[in-house]
């Protein structure tokens, strides 16, 4: 059945890309120089990594109860992860953790 | 502007829609239409609606069902596109051996008037990789951006600001 | 096959986040790492469900996600008036 093959192909592409983006987020978490920039790397894992992995699984599940649950997991991540990130960043700022900022405009050229 | 009777009717309608949403969630999560489970779900949903009415959170903030269609059809697709584009940019920065970042703090005066609109705006900023709303208030957001280019995209009258304001004012036509 | 590849990628991401949690240097770095580990675990649970042909694991993923965000906010509340978080900038 070629339709099944097509679906599997789409699903595998999404899963591989999702896993890759998760890895990139993890690498960024280690490479970035300070707390606030690390949060940006982590949000790659939280948004597109999670989204693509769940989309890949959704292709496998199709229109079923399992698919509906996958959508719920996705919605849960999409609603809670920015809230948690914001709470964390705000708390860090309130505790006086200063972000390392780039010099205003002088060294704009990389 | 709306008569008292109409407000009561609206509140009942809102409670009913909250009940439907809760019961639908129960059905999807249990997945077994046994009589006992169905009646337990019915009871739980009713109980939760009663609690929510008692602590007075069944309003346009606690259950913003009015925003469902415009959000689903117009705002979310745009936000998704935005997330994909900026996630790609952040990934390239992370994998670049030189790590070309220029972290910037910017202040933003949001144009939303309701709390729901402000929360949607702040959450959308945080959800897009490369920008995080650090401090959120009615007058001003403090946003941390990974690069100067990312910081330049966040401003009053920017694309996101306009779209959230349009979503918040729906179904009124904008300007 | 693909499911195992994703599971391995998620495990490596968890290991990287664990390294960040061990390195610190501030409490908030560790919390961010914990949050990332939570997201990865959620995805891993969902993937494992498909890998083993037991989609019931998705319920565990949902509950884990809820606990993750509640735990996060609870820890932040706990640190709110705590000076120990400020000691190491």
């Amino acid at each position: 059945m070629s339709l099944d093959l097509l679906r599997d192909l789409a699903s595998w592409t999404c899963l591989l890309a999702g896993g890759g983006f998760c890895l990139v987020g993890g690498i960024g978490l280690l490479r970035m120089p300070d707390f606030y920039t690390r949060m940006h790397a982590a949000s790659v894992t939280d948004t597109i990594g999670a989204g693509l992995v769940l989309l890949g699984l959704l292709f496998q599940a199709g229109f079923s109860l399992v698919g509906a649950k996958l959508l719920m997991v996705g919605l849960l991540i999409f609603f809670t992860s920015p809230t948690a990130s914001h709470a964390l960043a705000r708390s860090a700022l309130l505790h006086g953790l200063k972000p390392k900022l780039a010099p205003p405009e002088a060294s704009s050229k990389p | 502007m709306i008569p008292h009777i109409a407000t009561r009717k609206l509140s009942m309608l809102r409670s009913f829609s909250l009940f439907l949403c809760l019961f639908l969630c129960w059905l999807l999560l249990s997945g077994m239409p046994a009589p006992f489970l169905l009646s337990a779900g019915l009871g739980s949903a009713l109980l939760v609606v009663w609690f929510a009415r008692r602590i007075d959170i069944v309003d346009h903030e606690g259950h913003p069902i009015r925003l469902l269609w415009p959000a689903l059809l117009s705002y979310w697709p745009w936000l998704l596109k935005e997330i994909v584009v900026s996630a790609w940019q952040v990934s390239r920065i992370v994998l670049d051996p030189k790590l070309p970042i220029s972290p910037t703090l910017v202040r933003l005066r949001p144009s939303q008037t309701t709390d729901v609109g402000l929360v949607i705006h702040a959450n959308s900023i945080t959800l897009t990789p490369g920008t995080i709303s650090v401090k959120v208030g009615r007058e001003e957001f403090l946003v941390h951006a990974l690069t100067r280019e990312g910081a330049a995209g966040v401003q009053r009258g920017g694309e996101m600001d306009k779209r959230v304001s349009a979503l918040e004012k729906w179904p009124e036509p904008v300007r | 096959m693909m499911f195992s590849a994703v599971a391995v990628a998620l495990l490596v991401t968890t290991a990287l986040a664990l390294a960040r949690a061990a390195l610190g240097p501030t409490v908030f770095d560790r919390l961010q790492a914990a949050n990332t580990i939570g997201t990865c675990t959620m995805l891993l649970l969902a993937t494992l469900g498909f890998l083993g042909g037991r989609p019931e694991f998705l319920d565990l993923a949902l509950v884990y996600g809820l606990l993750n965000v509640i735990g996060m906010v609870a820890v932040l509340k706990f640190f709110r008036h705590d000076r120990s978080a400020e000691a190491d900038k």
Side-chain angles (χ1 to χ4, degrees):
Chain A
M1 202 58 175
S2 75
L3 203 64
D4 270 3
L5 189 71
L6 206 67
R7 199 192 61 182
D8 275 355
L9 227 60
S11 154
W12 290 343
T13 320
C14 283
L15 283 173
L16 272 189
F21 274 113
C22 281
L23 269 179
V24 167
I27 293 168
L29 208 55
L30 277 186
R31 278 196 75 193
M32 290 292 184
D34 83 322
F35 166 71
Y36 294 93
T37 45
R38 275 172 211 142
M39 292 195 82
H40 295 298
S43 80
V44 173
T45 304
D46 275 357
T47 55
I48 197 169
L52 280 176
V53 168
L54 289 174
L55 189 67
L57 295 178
L58 196 62
F59 274 124
Q60 295 286 334
F63 281 106
S64 62
L65 220 56
V66 176
K69 268 182 199 167
L70 277 171
L71 277 180
M72 275 178 153
V73 173
L75 277 181
L76 183 73
I77 291 183
F78 271 69
F79 277 113
T80 57
S81 100
T83 317
S85 296
H86 166 69
L88 190 57
R90 181 168 163 273
S91 173
L93 195 77
L94 285 181
H95 274 102
L97 187 68
K98 295 271 185 301
K100 279 182 196 150
L101 297 180
E105 274 303 320
S107 61
S108 161
K109 305 291 172 288
Chain B
M1 48 195 186
I2 311 167
H4 186 62
I5 312 286
T7 320
R8 271 191 70 95
K9 221 172 182 176
L10 202 69
S11 146
M12 284 314 288
L13 206 64
R14 208 182 280 284
S15 301
F16 184 65
S17 106
L18 177 64
F19 167 77
L20 276 186
C21 291
L22 289 170
F23 193 53
L24 193 71
C25 272
W26 177 284
L27 283 184
L28 285 176
L29 284 176
S30 85
M32 267 189 285
F36 169 70
L37 281 176
L38 281 185
S39 47
L42 210 69
S44 318
L46 280 174
L47 211 62
V48 169
V49 171
W50 182 50
F51 286 167
R53 282 182 70 91
R54 266 184 73 87
I55 59 175
D56 201 21
I57 55 166
V58 192
D59 49 13
H60 67 283
E61 282 180 3
H63 185 57
I65 194 81
R66 180 177 62 96
L67 299 179
L68 182 65
W69 293 118
L72 217 60
L73 295 180
S74 141
Y75 188 64
W76 283 14
W78 177 80
L79 185 63
L80 228 58
K81 186 210 86 188
E82 208 65 7
I83 287 173
V84 171
V85 169
S86 51
W88 179 246
Q89 284 164 355
V90 172
S91 307
R92 279 185 51 184
I93 290 173
V94 167
L95 293 180
D96 194 311
K98 278 186 299 190
L99 209 63
I101 56 170
S102 46
T104 316
L105 274 179
V106 282
R107 288 175 192 283
L108 157 74
R109 290 176 48 78
S111 65
Q112 287 75 39
T113 48
T114 62
D115 286 356
V116 186
L118 289 168
V119 168
I120 292 175
H121 193 181
N123 260 4
S124 306
I125 290 176
T126 313
L127 204 50
T128 349
T131 47
I132 288 179
S133 50
V134 182
K135 225 176 185 172
V136 174
R138 272 171 211 273
E139 277 83 38
E140 195 177 69
F141 289 179
L142 187 63
V143 178
H144 185 273
L146 189 58
T147 60
R148 284 199 191 85
E149 294 73 43
V154 181
Q155 55 184 346
R156 189 186 176 93
E159 175 105 48
M160 185 178 278
D161 188 48
K162 263 195 256 171
R163 278 180 183 264
V164 178
S165 285
L167 175 65
E168 168 194 74
K169 291 201 180 70
W170 198 86
E172 288 171 32
V174 187
R175 276 174 275 277
Chain C
M1 180 57 212
M2 277 306 133
F3 295 139
S4 359
V6 173
V8 169
L10 287 171
L11 281 175
V12 173
T13 311
T14 309
L16 290 171
L18 209 56
R20 175 43 71 198
L23 289 172
T26 64
V27 173
F28 303 105
D29 288 294
R30 296 178 216 275
L31 276 175
Q32 176 63 67
N35 202 16
T36 305
I37 292 175
T39 309
C40 283
T41 310
M42 238 175 123
L43 294 174
L44 193 63
L45 276 172
T47 315
L48 277 184
F50 278 80
L51 196 61
R54 292 176 61 190
E56 300 88 358
F57 271 46
L58 280 175
D59 296 329
L60 302 186
L62 269 172
V63 173
Y64 197 92
L66 283 171
L67 284 180
N68 190 25
V69 69
I70 292 171
M72 183 82 181
V73 173
V75 170
L76 285 176
K77 281 268 181 209
F78 182 75
F79 273 123
R80 199 150 159 200
H81 302 292
D82 193 354
R83 305 284 105 179
S84 71
E86 291 171 36
D88 44 6
K89 280 193 187 136

